[in-house]
Amino acid sequence: MRDLSLTQKFAEIYPELVAVAGVTMSDEPLSQRTTLHVGGQPIATVTCTSIEAIVAVVTTCDANHIPVLIVGGGSNLVIADGTVDCVAVLVACDEITVNLATGLVQAEAGAVWDEVVELAVASGLGGIECLSGIPGSAGAVPVQNVGAYGAEVSDVLTRVRLLHRDTGIDEWVPASELELAYRYSNLKFTSRAVVLAIEMQLNPDGLSAPLRYGELARSLGATAGGQRQPATQVREAVLALRRAKGMVYDVTDHDTWSAGSFFTNPVVDAERAEQIAARFPDQQVPRYPVAGTEEVKMSAAWLIQHAGFDKGFTLPPGRAGLSTKHTLALTNRGEATTADIVDLARHVRAGVAAEFGVLLEPEPVWIGIEI
Ligand SMILES: Cc1cc2nc3c(=O)[nH]c(=O)nc-3n(C[C@H](O)[C@H](O)[C@H](O)COP(=O)(O)OP(=O)(O)OC[C@H]3O[C@@H](n4cnc5c(N)ncnc54)[C@H](O)[C@@H]3O)c2cc1C
């Protein structure tokens, strides 16, 4: 049931918000804004096409104690069905500035991330080509320090323009203050700040970052580890690999109606990793020592598959299932609700825990519901 006092408070500030330039209102459900195509009805959906509009809307809602959900591309969100007691603020400011001489690229938070990558690569700048094809907005990229194919945005991120929600201060902050780590920053799960823009230092020589990911390096015919190749070629290779795994969002392909990798790769103690590997003597069980610790990172996809969940696995009535191309993507087969996705997530997680004693942690941000 909707908290009516919030609806009332929103009605009181509504005239102030619609008067702001760059603000439009709608009452669309969040299922229309997520790549999982699930999510309930917020109090309102407020689209902001400028940084000033975001600042005005968020600070006004905060001052009136109305919960706000910042939404970029909706590609890392699992939002409850039914009513959702928040105002969804859609970040839609999308200017991108490229400095060819210095290699500095700035993007407003609502710029489509892959368009930032495409423009940078086409402009002869290297450094983010491995992050091609990741859905969503530039502003969300620091939130979980997006990464793929051996690269993370922390490799190139210099600073972010933040709206601090406790003080209302809008300032550029060095990337080092975000505690960027594997699929983590201190912005994730905290909602403490809104990213208004990002800045990255790229390579003006047009070459890629060193190729660190075996599958990608092999597909490009790299002969030695850490080679750099033309960023344009690396981007094409990454997009081809991602498409084959259903990891490029495509509204016509239900294998991509997902939140990407649903679970992070678990870090376990070395003994547990050894026990698991010993059960599969004929296989190269993926294991990556975590530097400076006794711990080992394992592959969530491998654990899911070897716990008995094949690609395409569904729970009755089949509305939600694992992607037919990738075991780590939980997908909406067309008619799923959030409850269907969550049931599947719980089932897979319990199966892996029962088989291997490893509890997988979800990667997306959960709103109004828990695993
Ligand atoms: C097919 C597919 C493939 C994917 N592959 C990858 C991958 O390879 N690597 C990877 O790391 N991720 C991947 N993802 C996950 C997702 O694309 C990224 O996490 C992406 O950065 C999310 O961006 P978004 O704009 O869609 O964020 P949203 O889903 O809109 O939001 C995610 C979180 O960030 C917050 N947020 C969004 N914008 C802002 C902002 N401007 N300021 C503050 N907070 C904000 C939201 O409130 C929410 O908490 C994939 C997802 C899909 C569907």
Side-chain angles (χ1 to χ4, degrees), residues 94-100 103-108 116 119 125 198-200:
D94 59 2
E95 205 171 300
I96 309 171
T97 321
V98 176
N99 185 324
L100 294 178
L104 277 179
V105 172
Q106 285 190 358
E108 290 186 342
V116 178
L119 179 64
L125 300 178
I198 65 169
E199 182 187 81
M200 297 171 294

Side-chain angles (χ1 to χ4, degrees), residues 144-145 152 180-184 263-267 297 363:
Q144 73 152 0
N145 184 24
E152 290 182 328
L180 296 162
Y182 168 63
R183 299 301 178 274
Y184 175 78
F263 297 102
T264 50
N265 290 323
V267 173
K297 190 187 278 188
E363 184 187 294

Side-chain angles (χ1 to χ4, degrees), residues 35 69-77 91 109 133-137 139-141 143-148 183 193-196 242 246-249 256 258-261 363 365:
T35 51
L69 172 63
I70 305 294
V71 180
S75 62
N76 213 28
L77 279 167
V91 175
I134 298 179
S137 61
V141 154
V143 173
Q144 73 152 0
N145 184 24
V146 297
R183 299 301 178 274
V194 182
V195 179
L196 300 172
R242 292 185 69 97
M247 282 291 171
V248 177
Y249 177 71
T256 73
S258 75
S261 302
E363 184 187 294
V365 173

Side-chain angles (χ1 to χ4, degrees), residues 196-323:
L196 300 172
I198 65 169
E199 182 187 81
M200 297 171 294
Q201 175 68 65
L202 304 186
N203 309 312
D205 65 7
L207 293 179
S208 70
L211 298 174
R212 301 188 194 102
Y213 196 85
E215 184 188 24
L216 176 63
R218 281 191 297 279
S219 80
L220 284 156
T223 47
Q227 269 185 10
R228 299 177 69 209
Q229 294 205 355
T232 45
Q233 288 174 23
V234 175
R235 173 172 165 80
E236 288 314 312
V238 167
L239 287 172
L241 288 172
R242 292 185 69 97
R243 284 199 189 98
K245 295 175 188 169
M247 282 291 171
V248 177
Y249 177 71
D250 172 355
V251 74
T252 65
D253 180 359
H254 287 148
D255 277 335
T256 73
W257 287 28
S258 75
S261 302
F262 201 88
F263 297 102
T264 50
N265 290 323
V267 173
V268 303
D269 59 60
E271 198 182 326
R272 163 94 45 202
E274 191 52 50
Q275 282 167 0
I276 294 171
R279 287 176 51 190
F280 301 87
D282 301 335
Q283 285 197 38
Q284 286 274 9
V285 178
R287 284 177 290 166
Y288 312 96
V290 179
T293 73
E294 295 289 302
E295 294 179 319
V296 174
K297 190 187 278 188
M298 299 199 72
S299 157
W302 187 94
L303 291 168
I304 290 170
Q305 195 180 341
H306 289 81
F309 303 105
D310 282 331
K311 291 172 189 162
F313 172 86
T314 60
L315 281 182
R319 291 189 294 245
L322 300 186
S323 159

